[in-house]
Amino acid sequence: MLSAFRILASLALFIAPIALADVFLSTYAAPSANPLLFQNATILTGDGERLDNASLYISNGRIEWIGAGTVTPGTTVVDAAGKWITPGLIDVHSHLGVYPSPGVAAHSDGNEATAPVTAEVWAEHSIWPQDPGFTRALAGGVTTMQILPGSANLFGGRGVTLKNVPSISYQAMKFPNAPHGLKMACGENPKRVYGNRNQAPSTRMGNVAAYRNAWIKAQRYVDDWDRYERAVAEAAAKKDDSSTSMASALLTTTPPKRDLELETLAGALRGEILVHMHCYRADEMLTILDMAQEFGYRVGTFHHGVEAYKIADQLAAEGVCGALWADWWGFKIEAYDGIQENIALVDRPNGGCAIVHSDSSEGIQRLNQEAAKAMLRGNRAGLSIQPERAIRWITSNAAKSLGIDDQTGSLKPGLMADLVLWNQDPFSVYAKALQVYIDGSLSYEQGNPDLNPKSDFELGQLMGVTP
Amino acid sequence: MRNLFLSVVLLLSSGITSAESLLIANASLIERDSSSDVTHDILISDGVISRIAEDLTETPADNVIDAAGRPVTSAFFAGITALGLTEIGMVSDTVDSQLMDLYTGLIHPEFDVRDAFNPHSSAIPVTRIEGFGYTLLAASPGDRPLSGHGSLVRLDGGYNSFEGVPVMYANVDGAAGDKLGGSRAASWMLLNAIFAELTTPDKDLKLITPQGKSALSAAKKNGIFIFRAHRASDIVRVLAFASEYNLQAVISGGQEAWIVRQPLARAKVPVIINALDNLPQSFDALGARLDNAALLHEAGVTVLFTSGETHNARKLRQVVGNAVAHGLPHKTALAAMTSIPASLFGGIERSLQSGSRADLVIWSGDPLDVTSAADSVIIGGALDTMQSRQTKLLQRYLSEEPNKGRAYINP
């Protein structure tokens, strides 16, 4: 009986391909932390509210209450008068670890640019946890980030969401239970990379044909596994003893052959893997939305979307987020129409989901400044965007894009106590993160050498040099 | 006569409206004193600041703008850029800032990027309306130890708005050495050989042409040599080289310049940095840190700034704001954005004094903060229209969906 159960347990793993994604598991465990009460702070909750002269209580790594409530004896009290509190910042588009510093050729692990469809690769398998960029991002208040493969390929592979905790493994950084992302790319990059090698795709129409061919294969793969699951279920239903019948059904029904590439695509079709689509031009984004309709999947977020402002209403209506830059433009022709009001205009319609992303080891350190620039441009264009609204672009909207908004990204009771204590209004070039908390644990403190993590790489460099 | 005609057409087409005299009232002159509540009036005539005083409202002027206490500064320096030398980064036939794979195999200090300058590039109004009046044209690092020369240029839409002395670019960092036989010592080997040819008869030149020799001689005589270097040891090597050949040197990049700030100060060699560089992005930059500017300034080194960006050159305000956030005095930072680059590279004086060229900006707030922007830009005494390709795109798409297509909205 025991052995039959064991067989059942091991075979059950093979029933649904998505169950197979439960590998390379997160080993992150939040360190225990004392309860903390912040008082007299200006609080931006991350989901649209601003509270002045307010209190926030965190305990057991969670937000307990905001405003008023009871406090455990022994709670540490932090007077945050004159200071601001926001949720920990979230970057939905980073290549830290996969394109780390120093950027030597042997560290260039972000693009498996050997075939246009490489949905089988996972960015986490390229991450170098010792990238000093993680520590710099932490000093900028970033507590969560998605590490994506690059954009050379139509399907670049899986992205992974990390907690920004210094670790010797990416597993110890993996955000518990966060869905994987699927990185896809429109436009110039795939057609340039492969067209230059005289192989498909070399045109935008070639891009779309190749996406569709891949989705057709993935649909068949989903069907094959669904059929298999049904066959197992039907065979099992014929017998009385349910555990032995299930075991024999599994043994007598041949499963489809696993395919890593199609497992990822199937996960996206099933909605279990979130689609992150690198796309600049408005017309291309609309083509992609039509294609998503054809295959019945959702585009979660367009990344870069330099022309997203041209289709802000459509994006809002479809519930698609735009992860955008404040002011990048002109580095290639598909980025020629960039305007500084892009983020504010994508945010404008009801249901608009604007996100400030970095795609940069510099930008990820200053998401607050990037958001400030976007807010300023919106306001100068006649919109009225307050800090409590703009903070959503680097907190709750980003969390929504990553499928973790029920866990972090806003200061709601029950959510992870990921937060930043700022020296002032964070929307300024002079704002600095004084303290950064991850799951209630103080992970960074400005000016405190004991709370300024350093990567192995940086130890012992420039011996003898002092400021 | 033809030149005169051209300049008239230019004024009309560059979006800068001409004005005989202009009074900017109630300006906060933060370059002088950011803490003072006293405002000043600035009278501009014939493109030049004619008077600055606490009250000039009795003085007749054709146009008056009330700054209402907002900061007014000289128009900013945009850093070392390829503005007017590139339209789109990855469209190679629009990129003219870099000499690469030239068939001669020689070194060409005479490569003058100004010959490629296009004042109608869309990136120029995009940059100008953010408060930037001039830039230093880059001869970007190619595959030679000297990548050519440029100079300052005003972002006023003129074909010949160049200013100052020739600025020669030398590249002696690890990336340059990698392209030159695999060693940064090869950069020095070649630079020594090139400079030795300055005294070689033209017919015996091996590495440079007679034109290159003239260009190099001219730059040595009255120009500036910008050495791209990050590593402390490379910077020390630059100081020795500049001293040996009696060159006026400037370090660009300089991520580890803070380590050798004392020798830099003694040699009076300025450093142009990107104040956001704080990662060991290469083994040349293991010492990169956010207070590089502050440490250099405290040691007496002149600090200038560049963002490394061309299309987004406007980001330089934010770059410099971060230097201030990490210890550089605000007033020093403003000087680094206005008067210092002009005087270092031999341009027209840019300061708030009578007689100075009237390239000015009225800011909505602190010009080094991301919370403010340029409200008005005045170039050569004329108010800019504050229009660019990007403001037109905004105007087209800002309105609610029109009955006809947006192609019919032509702002």
Side-chain angles (χ1 to χ4, degrees):
Chain A
M1 183 63 209
L2 186 65
S3 73
F5 191 77
R6 214 176 259 159
I7 291 167
L8 172 68
S10 61
L11 288 178
L13 280 176
F14 290 85
I15 291 179
I18 201 63
L20 298 165
D22 290 340
V23 291
F24 311 103
L25 291 171
S26 172
T27 58
Y28 170 71
S32 64
N34 287 334
L36 268 172
L37 176 67
F38 298 92
Q39 290 182 325
N40 310 314
T42 304
I43 299 176
L44 303 177
T45 60
D47 54 359
E49 296 297 314
R50 170 183 172 147
L51 305 169
D52 288 301
N53 202 16
S55 296
L56 172 71
Y57 180 56
I58 62 177
S59 169
N60 295 318
R62 298 278 157 173
I63 311 283
E64 288 289 331
W65 52 256
I66 186 165
T70 54
V71 167
T72 318
T75 292
T76 308
V77 178
V78 178
D79 181 13
K83 302 186 176 82
W84 290 50
I85 293 175
T86 67
L89 307 188
I90 301 172
D91 191 356
V92 300
H93 193 123
S94 172
H95 299 300
L96 289 180
V98 300
Y99 284 119
S101 302
V104 301
H107 273 167
S108 177
D109 287 321
N111 267 308
E112 183 55 45
T114 49
V117 180
T118 60
E120 68 275 20
V121 305
W122 295 20
E124 61 207 73
H125 299 144
S126 278
I127 288 173
W128 183 46
Q130 298 295 340
D131 182 354
F134 287 118
T135 64
R136 306 298 196 279
L138 181 64
V142 173
T143 55
T144 300
M145 66 230 140
Q146 176 172 238
I147 308 301
L148 287 168
S151 53
N153 299 347
L154 300 169
F155 294 90
R158 291 195 196 194
V160 64
T161 297
L162 303 179
K163 286 244 163 188
N164 195 6
V165 285
S167 302
I168 57 166
S169 74
Y170 71 83
Q171 291 93 331
M173 304 173 77
K174 262 179 115 165
F175 195 106
N177 304 314
H180 270 127
L182 168 60
K183 173 70 179 292
M184 294 178 62
C186 290
E188 283 185 35
N189 289 10
K191 82 187 196 86
R192 182 185 65 250
V193 169
Y194 296 98
N196 285 346
R197 301 175 194 170
N198 277 326
Q199 82 179 73
S202 69
T203 59
R204 284 182 162 83
M205 58 188 173
N207 286 353
V208 176
Y211 304 128
R212 296 174 77 206
N213 277 332
W215 288 127
I216 289 165
K217 282 200 284 179
Q219 278 184 326
R220 168 60 68 88
Y221 190 72
V222 170
D223 290 347
D224 288 348
W225 279 94
D226 286 351
R227 244 193 313 276
Y228 165 68
E229 283 177 45
R230 274 197 307 275
V232 169
E234 282 165 17
K238 286 176 188 160
K239 299 264 179 70
D240 298 335
D241 180 340
S242 65
S243 66
T244 52
S245 64
M246 174 61 88
S248 77
L250 284 166
L251 289 168
T252 54
T253 314
T254 309
K257 189 181 172 198
R258 279 186 68 192
D259 181 305
L260 285 178
E261 175 192 313
L262 297 176
E263 270 179 20
T264 296
L265 298 183
L269 288 178
R270 291 183 159 121
E272 291 152 351
I273 293 176
L274 307 182
V275 176
H276 294 274
M277 187 88 207
H278 154 123
C279 223
Y280 285 77
R281 261 171 34 185
D283 55 304
E284 282 190 282
M285 288 187 262
L286 295 177
T287 297
I288 296 300
L289 290 177
D290 277 357
M291 178 174 72
Q293 197 164 32
E294 179 186 5
F295 293 98
Y297 73 93
R298 258 195 93 245
V299 178
T301 305
F302 281 116
H303 290 238
H304 310 335
V306 156
E307 294 188 5
Y309 65 94
K310 298 182 182 178
I311 53 166
D313 291 339
Q314 290 99 315
L315 293 178
E318 301 263 355
V320 181
C321 296
L324 314 169
W325 294 296
D327 50 15
W328 293 20
W329 76 285
F331 42 94
K332 48 185 174 172
I333 197 160
E334 64 187 5
Y336 198 44
D337 285 3
I339 65 172
Q340 297 178 98
E341 295 79 7
N342 195 23
I343 289 163
L345 291 181
V346 168
D347 181 60
R348 176 167 65 166
N350 279 333
C353 175
I355 296 165
V356 177
H357 75 338
S358 81
D359 193 14
S360 152
S361 57
E362 180 272 304
I364 193 173
Q365 302 179 45
R366 299 175 187 87
L367 289 174
N368 58 317
Q369 294 179 23
E370 297 302 308
K373 290 188 288 185
M375 179 168 66
L376 173 76
R377 297 298 160 172
N379 287 334
R380 289 175 74 87
L383 308 177
S384 178
I385 305 168
Q386 303 306 315
E388 55 269 29
R389 183 171 180 87
I391 195 73
R392 293 154 57 249
W393 306 338
I394 49 179
T395 57
S396 61
N397 284 359
K400 181 179 155 194
S401 162
L402 300 181
I404 52 173
D405 51 332
D406 57 346
Q407 302 182 72
T408 189
S410 54
L411 301 177
K412 280 200 285 252
L415 268 58
M416 293 166 166
D418 297 340
L419 55 93
V420 184
L421 179 69
W422 301 89
N423 63 335
Q424 60 161 83
D425 177 350
F427 295 100
S428 164
V429 81
Y430 304 117
K432 285 180 184 155
L434 298 176
Q435 295 182 330
V436 181
Y437 294 84
I438 298 178
D439 288 295
S441 172
L442 182 56
S443 305
Y444 166 85
E445 185 168 45
Q446 190 203 23
N448 180 353
D450 295 336
L451 283 165
N452 271 263
K454 207 170 187 178
S455 100
D456 292 354
F457 176 76
E458 294 195 279
L459 276 189
Q461 301 282 9
L462 299 173
M463 295 286 278
V465 172
T466 48
Chain B
M1 187 60 209
R2 191 168 167 271
N3 277 345
L4 182 64
F5 173 73
L6 268 182
S7 58
V8 169
V9 169
L10 268 176
L11 273 178
L12 294 174
S13 63
S14 65
I16 296 168
T17 49
S18 121
E20 294 83 19
S21 64
L22 175 67
L23 182 73
I24 305 174
N26 307 310
S28 168
L29 305 186
I30 54 171
E31 276 166 82
R32 294 182 182 174
D33 182 3
S34 60
S35 61
S36 170
D37 290 336
V38 180
T39 62
H40 287 73
D41 296 348
I42 304 169
L43 183 66
I44 297 159
S45 42
D46 298 325
V48 171
I49 297 175
S50 58
R51 280 184 72 193
I52 299 181
E54 286 185 21
D55 188 1
L56 292 173
T57 44
E58 299 299 307
T59 316
D62 298 312
N63 291 297
V64 179
I65 308 176
D66 185 3
R70 287 171 293 169
V72 174
T73 69
S74 305
F76 276 7
F77 173 64
I80 304 174
T81 71
L83 282 166
L85 301 177
T86 179
E87 186 61 23
I88 294 170
M90 288 182 72
V91 178
S92 62
D93 65 348
T94 73
V95 179
D96 295 313
S97 58
Q98 186 189 46
L99 195 62
M100 277 284 274
D101 304 321
L102 189 72
Y103 65 92
T104 66
L106 298 173
I107 288 138
H108 291 281
E110 73 274 29
F111 173 64
D112 183 349
V113 293
R114 291 176 293 189
D115 290 335
F117 180 73
N118 171 24
H120 302 309
S121 165
S122 68
I124 287 180
V126 162
T127 306
R128 182 176 62 228
I129 65 173
E130 302 296 336
F132 293 89
Y134 72 118
T135 191
L136 178 61
L137 292 177
S140 309
D143 51 5
R144 315 287 157 94
L146 290 172
S147 50
H149 68 279
S151 76
L152 296 177
V153 66
R154 287 189 302 279
L155 304 178
D156 61 2
Y159 291 108
N160 287 299
S161 296
F162 307 112
E163 290 182 16
V165 299
V167 178
M168 189 71 67
Y169 291 88
N171 308 293
V172 297
D173 57 353
D178 205 38
K179 292 178 195 154
L180 288 173
S183 168
R184 71 190 80 206
S187 303
W188 296 113
M189 175 183 82
L190 287 168
L191 286 171
N192 275 312
I194 294 163
F195 275 79
E197 292 200 350
L198 285 176
T199 51
T200 304
D202 283 2
K203 66 180 175 49
D204 297 327
L205 292 172
K206 296 281 191 295
L207 290 169
I208 54 177
T209 65
Q211 293 76 18
K213 184 177 152 188
S214 306
L216 197 57
S217 298
K220 185 174 179 304
K221 195 173 166 197
N222 67 1
I224 304 274
F225 284 79
I226 292 189
F227 288 86
R228 181 164 182 78
H230 292 295
R231 212 171 68 177
S233 61
D234 293 338
I235 294 170
V236 169
R237 186 70 191 79
V238 171
L239 296 182
F241 188 85
S243 164
E244 182 179 352
Y245 291 99
N246 196 23
L247 308 177
Q248 197 177 339
V250 171
I251 302 293
S252 113
Q255 296 193 43
E256 291 188 352
W258 63 271
I259 297 174
V260 288
R261 56 197 185 276
Q262 303 300 348
L264 280 164
R266 279 195 297 275
K268 296 187 167 48
V269 168
V271 182
I272 306 179
I273 66 165
N274 178 348
L276 304 183
D277 286 338
N278 68 337
L279 279 166
Q281 279 168 334
S282 73
F283 279 86
D284 283 17
L286 296 176
R289 50 189 293 152
L290 288 173
D291 56 1
N292 194 11
L295 291 170
L296 287 167
H297 170 69
E298 281 164 23
V301 179
T302 299
V303 185
L304 293 87
F305 297 94
T306 192
S307 65
E309 307 259 0
T310 287
H311 291 86
N312 212 15
R314 58 196 177 189
K315 188 178 178 179
L316 194 58
R317 293 197 295 124
Q318 181 189 2
V319 169
V320 177
N322 277 276
V324 174
H326 290 90
L328 186 72
H330 193 267
K331 193 173 172 178
T332 306
L334 279 179
M337 291 296 278
T338 54
S339 59
I340 291 174
S343 66
L344 178 60
F345 299 113
I348 295 166
E349 182 170 327
R350 286 174 163 82
S351 58
L352 293 180
Q353 296 177 38
S354 55
S356 268
R357 189 184 149 86
D359 287 2
L360 304 172
V361 183
I362 304 174
W363 302 94
S364 67
D366 177 358
L368 301 183
D369 202 347
V370 286
T371 53
S372 40
D375 283 339
S376 303
V377 174
I378 294 130
I379 298 287
L383 268 173
D384 192 87
T385 60
M386 302 299 279
Q387 292 284 312
S388 71
R389 192 169 171 276
Q390 295 185 6
T391 65
K392 290 180 183 293
L393 281 163
L394 171 64
Q395 285 168 278
R396 174 171 278 188
Y397 285 93
L398 184 61
S399 59
E400 301 300 322
E401 186 69 34
N403 290 331
K404 278 184 162 184
R406 295 200 188 267
Y408 291 91
I409 304 175
N410 287 300

